[in-house]
PDB file of all heavy atoms in Angstrom:
ATOM      1  N   ALA A  98      -3.803  -0.620 -11.207  1.00 97.00           N
ATOM      2  CA  ALA A  98      -5.157  -0.544 -10.728  1.00 97.00           C
ATOM      3  C   ALA A  98      -5.327  -1.306  -9.465  1.00 97.00           C
ATOM      4  O   ALA A  98      -5.032  -2.519  -9.448  1.00 97.00           O
ATOM      5  CB  ALA A  98      -6.104  -1.079 -11.869  1.00 97.00           C
ATOM      6  N   LEU A  99      -5.766  -0.641  -8.416  1.00 98.00           N
ATOM      7  CA  LEU A  99      -5.951  -1.319  -7.105  1.00 98.00           C
ATOM      8  C   LEU A  99      -7.427  -1.251  -6.730  1.00 98.00           C
ATOM      9  O   LEU A  99      -8.123  -0.331  -7.142  1.00 98.00           O
ATOM     10  CB  LEU A  99      -5.163  -0.583  -6.039  1.00 98.00           C
ATOM     11  CG  LEU A  99      -3.650  -0.450  -6.196  1.00 98.00           C
ATOM     12  CD1 LEU A  99      -3.056   0.230  -4.903  1.00 98.00           C
ATOM     13  CD2 LEU A  99      -2.982  -1.730  -6.472  1.00 98.00           C
ATOM     14  N   ASN A 100      -7.883  -2.209  -5.932  1.00 98.00           N
ATOM     15  CA  ASN A 100      -9.144  -2.085  -5.293  1.00 98.00           C
ATOM     16  C   ASN A 100      -9.105  -0.896  -4.324  1.00 98.00           C
ATOM     17  O   ASN A 100      -8.230  -0.780  -3.483  1.00 98.00           O
ATOM     18  CB  ASN A 100      -9.367  -3.378  -4.483  1.00 98.00           C
ATOM     19  CG  ASN A 100     -10.767  -3.386  -3.759  1.00 98.00           C
ATOM     20  OD1 ASN A 100     -11.018  -2.577  -2.858  1.00 98.00           O
ATOM     21  ND2 ASN A 100     -11.609  -4.315  -4.123  1.00 98.00           N
ATOM     22  N   SER A 101     -10.024   0.062  -4.482  1.00 98.00           N
ATOM     23  CA  SER A 101      -9.917   1.290  -3.756  1.00 98.00           C
ATOM     24  C   SER A 101     -10.154   1.134  -2.320  1.00 98.00           C
ATOM     25  O   SER A 101      -9.760   1.972  -1.501  1.00 98.00           O
ATOM     26  CB  SER A 101     -10.916   2.313  -4.351  1.00 98.00           C
ATOM     27  OG  SER A 101     -12.253   1.852  -4.219  1.00 98.00           O
ATOM     28  N   ALA A 102     -10.803   0.090  -1.895  1.00 98.00           N
ATOM     29  CA  ALA A 102     -11.118  -0.142  -0.458  1.00 98.00           C
ATOM     30  C   ALA A 102     -10.020  -0.877   0.263  1.00 98.00           C
ATOM     31  O   ALA A 102      -9.528  -0.517   1.324  1.00 98.00           O
ATOM     32  CB  ALA A 102     -12.393  -0.938  -0.249  1.00 98.00           C
ATOM     33  N   THR A 103      -9.477  -1.938  -0.376  1.00 98.00           N
ATOM     34  CA  THR A 103      -8.491  -2.795   0.266  1.00 98.00           C
ATOM     35  C   THR A 103      -7.036  -2.512  -0.194  1.00 98.00           C
ATOM     36  O   THR A 103      -6.081  -2.949   0.398  1.00 98.00           O
ATOM     37  CB  THR A 103      -8.776  -4.294  -0.070  1.00 98.00           C
ATOM     38  OG1 THR A 103      -8.644  -4.496  -1.519  1.00 98.00           O
ATOM     39  CG2 THR A 103     -10.189  -4.665   0.370  1.00 98.00           C
ATOM     40  N   LEU A 104      -6.903  -1.809  -1.293  1.00 98.00           N
ATOM     41  CA  LEU A 104      -5.600  -1.528  -1.956  1.00 98.00           C
ATOM     42  C   LEU A 104      -4.929  -2.801  -2.484  1.00 98.00           C
ATOM     43  O   LEU A 104      -3.705  -2.806  -2.620  1.00 98.00           O
ATOM     44  CB  LEU A 104      -4.696  -0.684  -1.086  1.00 98.00           C
ATOM     45  CG  LEU A 104      -5.138   0.691  -0.606  1.00 98.00           C
ATOM     46  CD1 LEU A 104      -4.057   1.425   0.122  1.00 98.00           C
ATOM     47  CD2 LEU A 104      -5.735   1.467  -1.788  1.00 98.00           C
ATOM     48  N   SER A 105      -5.667  -3.818  -2.690  1.00 98.00           N
ATOM     49  CA  SER A 105      -5.134  -5.011  -3.350  1.00 98.00           C
ATOM     50  C   SER A 105      -5.088  -4.802  -4.813  1.00 98.00           C
ATOM     51  O   SER A 105      -5.885  -4.068  -5.372  1.00 98.00           O
ATOM     52  CB  SER A 105      -5.964  -6.262  -2.992  1.00 98.00           C
ATOM     53  OG  SER A 105      -7.334  -6.083  -3.484  1.00 98.00           O
ATOM     54  N   THR A 106      -4.092  -5.427  -5.479  1.00 97.00           N
ATOM     55  CA  THR A 106      -3.895  -5.190  -6.875  1.00 97.00           C
ATOM     56  C   THR A 106      -4.952  -5.898  -7.748  1.00 97.00           C
ATOM     57  O   THR A 106      -5.189  -7.091  -7.552  1.00 97.00           O
ATOM     58  CB  THR A 106      -2.498  -5.682  -7.329  1.00 97.00           C
ATOM     59  OG1 THR A 106      -1.519  -4.999  -6.525  1.00 97.00           O
ATOM     60  CG2 THR A 106      -2.229  -5.428  -8.820  1.00 97.00           C
ATOM     61  N   LYS A 107      -5.593  -5.156  -8.628  1.00 97.00           N
ATOM     62  CA  LYS A 107      -6.542  -5.743  -9.528  1.00 97.00           C
ATOM     63  C   LYS A 107      -5.927  -6.035 -10.853  1.00 97.00           C
ATOM     64  O   LYS A 107      -6.156  -7.106 -11.496  1.00 97.00           O
ATOM     65  CB  LYS A 107      -7.746  -4.771  -9.734  1.00 97.00           C
ATOM     66  CG  LYS A 107      -8.512  -4.491  -8.456  1.00 97.00           C
ATOM     67  CD  LYS A 107      -9.600  -3.449  -8.662  1.00 97.00           C
ATOM     68  CE  LYS A 107     -10.761  -4.041  -9.352  1.00 97.00           C
ATOM     69  NZ  LYS A 107     -11.949  -3.098  -9.365  1.00 97.00           N
ATOM     70  N   SER A 108      -5.090  -5.159 -11.349  1.00 96.00           N
ATOM     71  CA  SER A 108      -4.391  -5.385 -12.589  1.00 96.00           C
ATOM     72  C   SER A 108      -3.244  -4.327 -12.764  1.00 96.00           C
ATOM     73  O   SER A 108      -3.269  -3.329 -12.033  1.00 96.00           O
ATOM     74  CB  SER A 108      -5.329  -5.325 -13.765  1.00 96.00           C
ATOM     75  OG  SER A 108      -5.917  -4.000 -13.901  1.00 96.00           O
ATOM     76  N   LEU A 109      -2.354  -4.598 -13.695  1.00 94.00           N
ATOM     77  CA  LEU A 109      -1.340  -3.578 -14.015  1.00 94.00           C
ATOM     78  C   LEU A 109      -0.975  -3.756 -15.441  1.00 94.00           C
ATOM     79  O   LEU A 109      -1.064  -4.870 -16.039  1.00 94.00           O
ATOM     80  CB  LEU A 109      -0.156  -3.604 -13.131  1.00 94.00           C
ATOM     81  CG  LEU A 109       0.773  -4.829 -13.063  1.00 94.00           C
ATOM     82  CD1 LEU A 109       1.815  -4.760 -14.228  1.00 94.00           C
ATOM     83  CD2 LEU A 109       1.482  -4.852 -11.710  1.00 94.00           C
ATOM     84  N   ALA A 110      -0.570  -2.638 -16.083  1.00 94.00           N
ATOM     85  CA  ALA A 110      -0.102  -2.728 -17.500  1.00 94.00           C
ATOM     86  C   ALA A 110       1.231  -2.080 -17.567  1.00 94.00           C
ATOM     87  O   ALA A 110       1.460  -0.916 -17.136  1.00 94.00           O
ATOM     88  CB  ALA A 110      -1.116  -1.936 -18.385  1.00 94.00           C
ATOM     89  N   VAL A 111       2.143  -2.777 -18.136  1.00 93.00           N
ATOM     90  CA  VAL A 111       3.568  -2.220 -18.393  1.00 93.00           C
ATOM     91  C   VAL A 111       3.347  -1.264 -19.579  1.00 93.00           C
ATOM     92  O   VAL A 111       2.859  -1.671 -20.654  1.00 93.00           O
ATOM     93  CB  VAL A 111       4.541  -3.298 -18.648  1.00 93.00           C
ATOM     94  CG1 VAL A 111       5.903  -2.701 -19.035  1.00 93.00           C
ATOM     95  CG2 VAL A 111       4.706  -4.192 -17.478  1.00 93.00           C
ATOM     96  N   LEU A 112       3.837  -0.033 -19.453  1.00 93.00           N
ATOM     97  CA  LEU A 112       3.641   0.988 -20.444  1.00 93.00           C
ATOM     98  C   LEU A 112       4.815   0.970 -21.426  1.00 93.00           C
ATOM     99  O   LEU A 112       5.985   1.082 -21.008  1.00 93.00           O
ATOM    100  CB  LEU A 112       3.528   2.362 -19.816  1.00 93.00           C
ATOM    101  CG  LEU A 112       2.325   2.458 -18.805  1.00 93.00           C
ATOM    102  CD1 LEU A 112       2.355   3.769 -18.149  1.00 93.00           C
ATOM    103  CD2 LEU A 112       1.003   2.258 -19.528  1.00 93.00           C
ATOM    104  N   ARG A 113       4.534   0.770 -22.731  1.00 89.00           N
ATOM    105  CA  ARG A 113       5.588   0.636 -23.733  1.00 89.00           C
ATOM    106  C   ARG A 113       5.395   1.684 -24.826  1.00 89.00           C
ATOM    107  O   ARG A 113       4.310   2.105 -25.151  1.00 89.00           O
ATOM    108  CB  ARG A 113       5.566  -0.747 -24.339  1.00 89.00           C
ATOM    109  CG  ARG A 113       5.882  -1.880 -23.300  1.00 89.00           C
ATOM    110  CD  ARG A 113       5.991  -3.209 -23.971  1.00 89.00           C
ATOM    111  NE  ARG A 113       6.260  -4.228 -23.001  1.00 89.00           N
ATOM    112  CZ  ARG A 113       7.507  -4.510 -22.496  1.00 89.00           C
ATOM    113  NH1 ARG A 113       8.534  -3.766 -22.969  1.00 89.00           N
ATOM    114  NH2 ARG A 113       7.669  -5.462 -21.649  1.00 89.00           N
ATOM    115  N   ASP A 114       6.511   2.080 -25.416  1.00 86.00           N
ATOM    116  CA  ASP A 114       6.481   2.943 -26.585  1.00 86.00           C
ATOM    117  C   ASP A 114       5.859   2.163 -27.737  1.00 86.00           C
ATOM    118  O   ASP A 114       6.324   1.071 -28.047  1.00 86.00           O
ATOM    119  CB  ASP A 114       7.894   3.370 -26.901  1.00 86.00           C
ATOM    120  CG  ASP A 114       7.963   4.396 -28.074  1.00 86.00           C
ATOM    121  OD1 ASP A 114       7.606   4.019 -29.158  1.00 86.00           O
ATOM    122  OD2 ASP A 114       8.454   5.487 -27.854  1.00 86.00           O
ATOM    123  N   PRO A 115       4.784   2.742 -28.390  1.00 83.00           N
ATOM    124  CA  PRO A 115       4.092   1.946 -29.393  1.00 83.00           C
ATOM    125  C   PRO A 115       4.976   1.666 -30.664  1.00 83.00           C
ATOM    126  O   PRO A 115       4.671   0.781 -31.410  1.00 83.00           O
ATOM    127  CB  PRO A 115       2.889   2.823 -29.719  1.00 83.00           C
ATOM    128  CG  PRO A 115       3.239   4.166 -29.293  1.00 83.00           C
ATOM    129  CD  PRO A 115       4.130   4.020 -28.090  1.00 83.00           C
ATOM    130  N   ARG A 116       6.005   2.497 -30.876  1.00 83.00           N
ATOM    131  CA  ARG A 116       6.816   2.298 -32.026  1.00 83.00           C
ATOM    132  C   ARG A 116       7.991   1.426 -31.788  1.00 83.00           C
ATOM    133  O   ARG A 116       8.267   0.515 -32.548  1.00 83.00           O
ATOM    134  CB  ARG A 116       7.269   3.715 -32.602  1.00 83.00           C
ATOM    135  CG  ARG A 116       8.129   3.573 -33.871  1.00 83.00           C
ATOM    136  CD  ARG A 116       8.362   4.938 -34.445  1.00 83.00           C
ATOM    137  NE  ARG A 116       7.172   5.594 -34.883  1.00 83.00           N
ATOM    138  CZ  ARG A 116       7.158   6.814 -35.416  1.00 83.00           C
ATOM    139  NH1 ARG A 116       8.264   7.476 -35.554  1.00 83.00           N
ATOM    140  NH2 ARG A 116       6.005   7.326 -35.788  1.00 83.00           N
ATOM    141  N   SER A 117       8.738   1.671 -30.683  1.00 85.00           N
ATOM    142  CA  SER A 117       9.985   0.914 -30.417  1.00 85.00           C
ATOM    143  C   SER A 117       9.730  -0.381 -29.627  1.00 85.00           C
ATOM    144  O   SER A 117      10.483  -1.271 -29.693  1.00 85.00           O
ATOM    145  CB  SER A 117      10.943   1.793 -29.627  1.00 85.00           C
ATOM    146  OG  SER A 117      10.516   2.017 -28.322  1.00 85.00           O
ATOM    147  N   GLY A 118       8.620  -0.357 -28.901  1.00 85.00           N
ATOM    148  CA  GLY A 118       8.304  -1.552 -28.045  1.00 85.00           C
ATOM    149  C   GLY A 118       9.082  -1.511 -26.730  1.00 85.00           C
ATOM    150  O   GLY A 118       8.869  -2.392 -25.907  1.00 85.00           O
ATOM    151  N   SER A 119       9.927  -0.543 -26.571  1.00 87.00           N
ATOM    152  CA  SER A 119      10.654  -0.461 -25.287  1.00 87.00           C
ATOM    153  C   SER A 119       9.781   0.151 -24.178  1.00 87.00           C
ATOM    154  O   SER A 119       8.843   0.868 -24.449  1.00 87.00           O
ATOM    155  CB  SER A 119      11.844   0.472 -25.504  1.00 87.00           C
ATOM    156  OG  SER A 119      12.703  -0.020 -26.538  1.00 87.00           O
ATOM    157  N   PRO A 120      10.131  -0.123 -22.921  1.00 88.00           N
ATOM    158  CA  PRO A 120       9.386   0.479 -21.856  1.00 88.00           C
ATOM    159  C   PRO A 120       9.360   1.990 -21.934  1.00 88.00           C
ATOM    160  O   PRO A 120      10.454   2.621 -22.201  1.00 88.00           O
ATOM    161  CB  PRO A 120      10.097  -0.017 -20.568  1.00 88.00           C
ATOM    162  CG  PRO A 120      10.752  -1.311 -20.982  1.00 88.00           C
ATOM    163  CD  PRO A 120      11.162  -1.088 -22.440  1.00 88.00           C
ATOM    164  N   SER A 121       8.246   2.588 -21.777  1.00 89.00           N
ATOM    165  CA  SER A 121       8.154   4.090 -21.864  1.00 89.00           C
ATOM    166  C   SER A 121       8.894   4.690 -20.628  1.00 89.00           C
ATOM    167  O   SER A 121       9.160   3.992 -19.643  1.00 89.00           O
ATOM    168  CB  SER A 121       6.700   4.518 -21.887  1.00 89.00           C
ATOM    169  OG  SER A 121       6.061   4.077 -22.997  1.00 89.00           O
ATOM    170  N   SER A 122       9.089   5.964 -20.720  1.00 88.00           N
ATOM    171  CA  SER A 122       9.739   6.709 -19.614  1.00 88.00           C
ATOM    172  C   SER A 122       8.681   7.430 -18.799  1.00 88.00           C
ATOM    173  O   SER A 122       7.749   8.072 -19.362  1.00 88.00           O
ATOM    174  CB  SER A 122      10.733   7.732 -20.176  1.00 88.00           C
ATOM    175  OG  SER A 122      11.268   8.489 -19.205  1.00 88.00           O
ATOM    176  N   LEU A 123       8.750   7.276 -17.491  1.00 91.00           N
ATOM    177  CA  LEU A 123       7.866   7.969 -16.569  1.00 91.00           C
ATOM    178  C   LEU A 123       8.750   8.792 -15.605  1.00 91.00           C
ATOM    179  O   LEU A 123       9.029   8.397 -14.466  1.00 91.00           O
ATOM    180  CB  LEU A 123       6.997   7.000 -15.747  1.00 91.00           C
ATOM    181  CG  LEU A 123       5.960   6.142 -16.566  1.00 91.00           C
ATOM    182  CD1 LEU A 123       5.232   5.232 -15.651  1.00 91.00           C
ATOM    183  CD2 LEU A 123       4.994   7.099 -17.191  1.00 91.00           C
ATOM    184  N   PRO A 124       9.258   9.993 -16.051  1.00 91.00           N
ATOM    185  CA  PRO A 124      10.121  10.715 -15.180  1.00 91.00           C
ATOM    186  C   PRO A 124       9.398  11.412 -14.021  1.00 91.00           C
ATOM    187  O   PRO A 124       8.183  11.719 -14.078  1.00 91.00           O
ATOM    188  CB  PRO A 124      10.662  11.795 -16.196  1.00 91.00           C
ATOM    189  CG  PRO A 124       9.535  11.993 -17.176  1.00 91.00           C
ATOM    190  CD  PRO A 124       8.878  10.643 -17.364  1.00 91.00           C
ATOM    191  N   ASP A 125      10.170  11.633 -13.009  1.00 92.00           N
ATOM    192  CA  ASP A 125       9.569  12.316 -11.791  1.00 92.00           C
ATOM    193  C   ASP A 125       9.512  13.850 -11.994  1.00 92.00           C
ATOM    194  O   ASP A 125       9.060  14.513 -11.023  1.00 92.00           O
ATOM    195  CB  ASP A 125      10.448  12.008 -10.570  1.00 92.00           C
ATOM    196  CG  ASP A 125      10.175  10.553  -9.999  1.00 92.00           C
ATOM    197  OD1 ASP A 125       8.976  10.156 -10.178  1.00 92.00           O
ATOM    198  OD2 ASP A 125      11.060   9.967  -9.462  1.00 92.00           O
ATOM    199  N   ASP A 126       9.965  14.377 -13.091  1.00 92.00           N
ATOM    200  CA  ASP A 126       9.918  15.812 -13.313  1.00 92.00           C
ATOM    201  C   ASP A 126       8.609  16.269 -14.003  1.00 92.00           C
ATOM    202  O   ASP A 126       8.414  17.490 -14.183  1.00 92.00           O
ATOM    203  CB  ASP A 126      11.067  16.238 -14.229  1.00 92.00           C
ATOM    204  CG  ASP A 126      12.428  16.119 -13.502  1.00 92.00           C
ATOM    205  OD1 ASP A 126      12.423  16.107 -12.288  1.00 92.00           O
ATOM    206  OD2 ASP A 126      13.465  15.929 -14.216  1.00 92.00           O
ATOM    207  N   GLY A 127       7.731  15.322 -14.378  1.00 91.00           N
ATOM    208  CA  GLY A 127       6.468  15.705 -15.016  1.00 91.00           C
ATOM    209  C   GLY A 127       5.286  15.754 -14.058  1.00 91.00           C
ATOM    210  O   GLY A 127       5.477  15.675 -12.854  1.00 91.00           O
ATOM    211  N   THR A 128       4.156  15.838 -14.610  1.00 93.00           N
ATOM    212  CA  THR A 128       2.937  15.840 -13.814  1.00 93.00           C
ATOM    213  C   THR A 128       1.835  14.907 -14.416  1.00 93.00           C
ATOM    214  O   THR A 128       0.629  15.051 -14.112  1.00 93.00           O
ATOM    215  CB  THR A 128       2.271  17.269 -13.714  1.00 93.00           C
ATOM    216  OG1 THR A 128       2.019  17.729 -15.036  1.00 93.00           O
ATOM    217  CG2 THR A 128       3.194  18.244 -13.012  1.00 93.00           C
ATOM    218  N   ALA A 129       2.315  13.909 -15.214  1.00 92.00           N
ATOM    219  CA  ALA A 129       1.342  13.013 -15.859  1.00 92.00           C
ATOM    220  C   ALA A 129       0.531  12.241 -14.814  1.00 92.00           C
ATOM    221  O   ALA A 129       1.119  11.688 -13.877  1.00 92.00           O
ATOM    222  CB  ALA A 129       2.059  12.067 -16.776  1.00 92.00           C
ATOM    223  N   SER A 130      -0.744  12.218 -14.956  1.00 95.00           N
ATOM    224  CA  SER A 130      -1.673  11.554 -14.104  1.00 95.00           C
ATOM    225  C   SER A 130      -2.777  10.842 -14.940  1.00 95.00           C
ATOM    226  O   SER A 130      -3.101  11.329 -15.966  1.00 95.00           O
ATOM    227  CB  SER A 130      -2.294  12.515 -13.120  1.00 95.00           C
ATOM    228  OG  SER A 130      -1.360  13.190 -12.342  1.00 95.00           O
ATOM    229  N   PRO A 131      -3.284   9.710 -14.438  1.00 96.00           N
ATOM    230  CA  PRO A 131      -4.365   9.070 -15.186  1.00 96.00           C
ATOM    231  C   PRO A 131      -5.628   9.884 -15.311  1.00 96.00           C
ATOM    232  O   PRO A 131      -5.992  10.662 -14.400  1.00 96.00           O
ATOM    233  CB  PRO A 131      -4.647   7.796 -14.348  1.00 96.00           C
ATOM    234  CG  PRO A 131      -3.465   7.619 -13.518  1.00 96.00           C
ATOM    235  CD  PRO A 131      -2.936   8.999 -13.248  1.00 96.00           C
ATOM    236  N   THR A 132      -6.321   9.764 -16.462  1.00 96.00           N
ATOM    237  CA  THR A 132      -7.628  10.334 -16.683  1.00 96.00           C
ATOM    238  C   THR A 132      -8.555   9.130 -17.025  1.00 96.00           C
ATOM    239  O   THR A 132      -8.201   8.337 -17.882  1.00 96.00           O
ATOM    240  CB  THR A 132      -7.646  11.356 -17.839  1.00 96.00           C
ATOM    241  OG1 THR A 132      -6.866  12.526 -17.399  1.00 96.00           O
ATOM    242  CG2 THR A 132      -9.034  11.851 -18.137  1.00 96.00           C
ATOM    243  N   VAL A 133      -9.709   9.118 -16.384  1.00 96.00           N
ATOM    244  CA  VAL A 133     -10.654   8.029 -16.701  1.00 96.00           C
ATOM    245  C   VAL A 133     -11.779   8.613 -17.512  1.00 96.00           C
ATOM    246  O   VAL A 133     -12.454   9.626 -17.086  1.00 96.00           O
ATOM    247  CB  VAL A 133     -11.235   7.516 -15.318  1.00 96.00           C
ATOM    248  CG1 VAL A 133     -12.249   6.353 -15.630  1.00 96.00           C
ATOM    249  CG2 VAL A 133     -10.104   6.996 -14.461  1.00 96.00           C
ATOM    250  N   GLY A 134     -11.988   7.995 -18.691  1.00 95.00           N
ATOM    251  CA  GLY A 134     -13.029   8.501 -19.535  1.00 95.00           C
ATOM    252  C   GLY A 134     -14.421   8.061 -19.205  1.00 95.00           C
ATOM    253  O   GLY A 134     -14.557   7.185 -18.331  1.00 95.00           O
ATOM    254  N   PRO A 135     -15.460   8.589 -19.838  1.00 93.00           N
ATOM    255  CA  PRO A 135     -16.868   8.188 -19.535  1.00 93.00           C
ATOM    256  C   PRO A 135     -17.096   6.716 -19.802  1.00 93.00           C
ATOM    257  O   PRO A 135     -17.963   6.147 -19.084  1.00 93.00           O
ATOM    258  CB  PRO A 135     -17.679   9.062 -20.472  1.00 93.00           C
ATOM    259  CG  PRO A 135     -16.782  10.203 -20.817  1.00 93.00           C
ATOM    260  CD  PRO A 135     -15.401   9.688 -20.807  1.00 93.00           C
ATOM    261  N   ASP A 136     -16.341   6.063 -20.619  1.00 94.00           N
ATOM    262  CA  ASP A 136     -16.518   4.645 -20.938  1.00 94.00           C
ATOM    263  C   ASP A 136     -15.690   3.748 -20.084  1.00 94.00           C
ATOM    264  O   ASP A 136     -15.625   2.534 -20.204  1.00 94.00           O
ATOM    265  CB  ASP A 136     -16.240   4.287 -22.404  1.00 94.00           C
ATOM    266  CG  ASP A 136     -14.806   4.721 -22.827  1.00 94.00           C
ATOM    267  OD1 ASP A 136     -14.021   5.184 -21.987  1.00 94.00           O
ATOM    268  OD2 ASP A 136     -14.437   4.428 -23.988  1.00 94.00           O
ATOM    269  N   GLY A 137     -14.931   4.339 -19.101  1.00 94.00           N
ATOM    270  CA  GLY A 137     -14.112   3.602 -18.192  1.00 94.00           C
ATOM    271  C   GLY A 137     -12.721   3.368 -18.664  1.00 94.00           C
ATOM    272  O   GLY A 137     -11.865   2.901 -17.913  1.00 94.00           O
ATOM    273  N   ARG A 138     -12.365   3.772 -19.854  1.00 95.00           N
ATOM    274  CA  ARG A 138     -10.989   3.691 -20.347  1.00 95.00           C
ATOM    275  C   ARG A 138     -10.103   4.666 -19.633  1.00 95.00           C
ATOM    276  O   ARG A 138     -10.504   5.776 -19.308  1.00 95.00           O
ATOM    277  CB  ARG A 138     -10.931   3.825 -21.875  1.00 95.00           C
ATOM    278  CG  ARG A 138     -11.618   2.717 -22.613  1.00 95.00           C
ATOM    279  CD  ARG A 138     -11.490   2.905 -24.090  1.00 95.00           C
ATOM    280  NE  ARG A 138     -12.159   1.770 -24.838  1.00 95.00           N
ATOM    281  CZ  ARG A 138     -12.239   1.739 -26.151  1.00 95.00           C
ATOM    282  NH1 ARG A 138     -11.811   2.724 -26.905  1.00 95.00           N
ATOM    283  NH2 ARG A 138     -12.779   0.685 -26.728  1.00 95.00           N
ATOM    284  N   VAL A 139      -8.825   4.267 -19.439  1.00 96.00           N
ATOM    285  CA  VAL A 139      -7.899   5.073 -18.669  1.00 96.00           C
ATOM    286  C   VAL A 139      -6.810   5.586 -19.606  1.00 96.00           C
ATOM    287  O   VAL A 139      -6.210   4.821 -20.423  1.00 96.00           O
ATOM    288  CB  VAL A 139      -7.259   4.290 -17.525  1.00 96.00           C
ATOM    289  CG1 VAL A 139      -6.326   5.093 -16.729  1.00 96.00           C
ATOM    290  CG2 VAL A 139      -8.303   3.685 -16.641  1.00 96.00           C
ATOM    291  N   TYR A 140      -6.550   6.834 -19.592  1.00 94.00           N
ATOM    292  CA  TYR A 140      -5.560   7.514 -20.435  1.00 94.00           C
ATOM    293  C   TYR A 140      -4.425   8.062 -19.566  1.00 94.00           C
ATOM    294  O   TYR A 140      -4.648   8.685 -18.557  1.00 94.00           O
ATOM    295  CB  TYR A 140      -6.223   8.671 -21.278  1.00 94.00           C
ATOM    296  CG  TYR A 140      -7.327   8.210 -22.144  1.00 94.00           C
ATOM    297  CD1 TYR A 140      -8.664   8.021 -21.580  1.00 94.00           C
ATOM    298  CD2 TYR A 140      -7.184   7.821 -23.434  1.00 94.00           C
ATOM    299  CE1 TYR A 140      -9.712   7.595 -22.352  1.00 94.00           C
ATOM    300  CE2 TYR A 140      -8.212   7.377 -24.277  1.00 94.00           C
ATOM    301  CZ  TYR A 140      -9.513   7.245 -23.684  1.00 94.00           C
ATOM    302  OH  TYR A 140     -10.576   6.838 -24.476  1.00 94.00           O
ATOM    303  N   VAL A 141      -3.181   7.893 -20.047  1.00 92.00           N
ATOM    304  CA  VAL A 141      -2.067   8.440 -19.324  1.00 92.00           C
ATOM    305  C   VAL A 141      -1.070   8.977 -20.346  1.00 92.00           C
ATOM    306  O   VAL A 141      -0.963   8.522 -21.522  1.00 92.00           O
ATOM    307  CB  VAL A 141      -1.314   7.397 -18.445  1.00 92.00           C
ATOM    308  CG1 VAL A 141      -2.218   6.958 -17.364  1.00 92.00           C
ATOM    309  CG2 VAL A 141      -0.857   6.196 -19.271  1.00 92.00           C
ATOM    310  N   GLY A 142      -0.252   9.928 -19.941  1.00 90.00           N
ATOM    311  CA  GLY A 142       0.783  10.481 -20.765  1.00 90.00           C
ATOM    312  C   GLY A 142       2.140   9.913 -20.357  1.00 90.00           C
ATOM    313  O   GLY A 142       2.448   9.839 -19.142  1.00 90.00           O
ATOM    314  N   VAL A 143       2.979   9.500 -21.331  1.00 89.00           N
ATOM    315  CA  VAL A 143       4.305   8.990 -21.058  1.00 89.00           C
ATOM    316  C   VAL A 143       5.267   9.603 -22.082  1.00 89.00           C
ATOM    317  O   VAL A 143       4.909  10.236 -23.055  1.00 89.00           O
ATOM    318  CB  VAL A 143       4.317   7.478 -21.201  1.00 89.00           C
ATOM    319  CG1 VAL A 143       3.384   6.804 -20.272  1.00 89.00           C
ATOM    320  CG2 VAL A 143       4.019   7.029 -22.639  1.00 89.00           C
ATOM    321  N   LEU A 144       6.569   9.443 -21.786  1.00 88.00           N
ATOM    322  CA  LEU A 144       7.615   9.882 -22.709  1.00 88.00           C
ATOM    323  C   LEU A 144       8.036   8.669 -23.542  1.00 88.00           C
ATOM    324  O   LEU A 144       8.077   7.560 -23.112  1.00 88.00           O
ATOM    325  CB  LEU A 144       8.874  10.429 -21.983  1.00 88.00           C
ATOM    326  CG  LEU A 144       8.664  11.867 -21.393  1.00 88.00           C
ATOM    327  CD1 LEU A 144       9.949  12.272 -20.727  1.00 88.00           C
ATOM    328  CD2 LEU A 144       8.278  12.882 -22.492  1.00 88.00           C
ATOM    329  N   GLU A 145       8.400   9.000 -24.830  1.00 84.00           N
ATOM    330  CA  GLU A 145       8.845   7.930 -25.732  1.00 84.00           C
ATOM    331  C   GLU A 145      10.135   7.290 -25.260  1.00 84.00           C
ATOM    332  O   GLU A 145      10.895   7.890 -24.508  1.00 84.00           O
ATOM    333  CB  GLU A 145       8.959   8.442 -27.140  1.00 84.00           C
ATOM    334  CG  GLU A 145      10.121   9.332 -27.436  1.00 84.00           C
ATOM    335  CD  GLU A 145       9.896  10.785 -27.128  1.00 84.00           C
ATOM    336  OE1 GLU A 145       8.846  11.070 -26.464  1.00 84.00           O
ATOM    337  OE2 GLU A 145      10.719  11.585 -27.493  1.00 84.00           O
TER     338      GLU A 145
END
């Protein structure tokens, strides 16, 4: 998450597999992109 005006970092979350606890896979062959819900929560798709 960056400040949209300055591009300074506001926060980041390391994405992990909820079952194994290992870092999730974010391959360059997919099209996963963030979706922002009406309550401001952010949803993303990852590989286990």
